[in-house]
Amino acid sequence: MTSIDKGDPADPAPLKLGDKATGMVPYYVRFKVTNTGSTDLSFASLTQVKGTLPDGSEASEVMLIGTFDKCPHPSFPKGFTNGQSITSCVLALAPTATKVAGAEYWGEPYTLGKGVNWK
């Protein structure tokens, strides 16, 4: 994880989230991924990152399909082999009374709630 940036409550308006965004503040969880293995991960994507609240519970997740300039989340490029890196972002929502304070990676070999956590 490289940063967690607080957004403006109006930021998600183009995503048309409706009531899901009411009373919520967007946070942009930014991270860098480096391929350290021998597998070519071309065109893969990393979707197993979630924002977490100060008590460790899960922030509301927003699955981004297409582009959202405030939180780019590209697929890994062609030739994503050993030593290649990419930066990405996931969008998380938190109630106005709290904040997104960390992130969890819960992909293989981990499970949700028992992954690698950053604060």
Side-chain angles (χ1 to χ4, degrees), residues 47-80:
T47 59
Q48 302 91 353
V49 176
K50 294 187 176 272
T52 56
L53 302 176
D55 66 0
S57 64
E58 187 179 327
S60 294
E61 178 184 18
V62 178
M63 292 295 288
L64 296 172
I65 299 172
T67 60
F68 181 55
D69 291 342
K70 293 191 179 285
C71 192
H73 58 282
S75 295
F76 299 162
K78 182 177 181 181
F80 195 75

Side-chain angles (χ1 to χ4, degrees), residues 19-72:
D19 291 342
K20 181 175 183 171
T22 301
M24 305 293 267
V25 176
Y27 286 82
Y28 306 106
V29 180
R30 301 181 195 284
F31 54 94
K32 180 178 180 180
V33 177
T34 302
N35 187 343
T36 60
S38 58
T39 302
D40 183 346
L41 298 174
S42 295
F43 309 113
S45 61
L46 186 61
T47 59
Q48 302 91 353
V49 176
K50 294 187 176 272
T52 56
L53 302 176
D55 66 0
S57 64
E58 187 179 327
S60 294
E61 178 184 18
V62 178
M63 292 295 288
L64 296 172
I65 299 172
T67 60
F68 181 55
D69 291 342
K70 293 191 179 285
C71 192

Side-chain angles (χ1 to χ4, degrees), residues 1 10 13 15 23 27 33 57 59 65 68 74 86 89 92 98 105 114 116:
M1 184 173 66
L15 300 174
Y27 286 82
V33 177
S57 64
I65 299 172
F68 181 55
I86 189 170
C89 178
T98 189
Y105 169 74
K114 297 180 181 177
V116 177

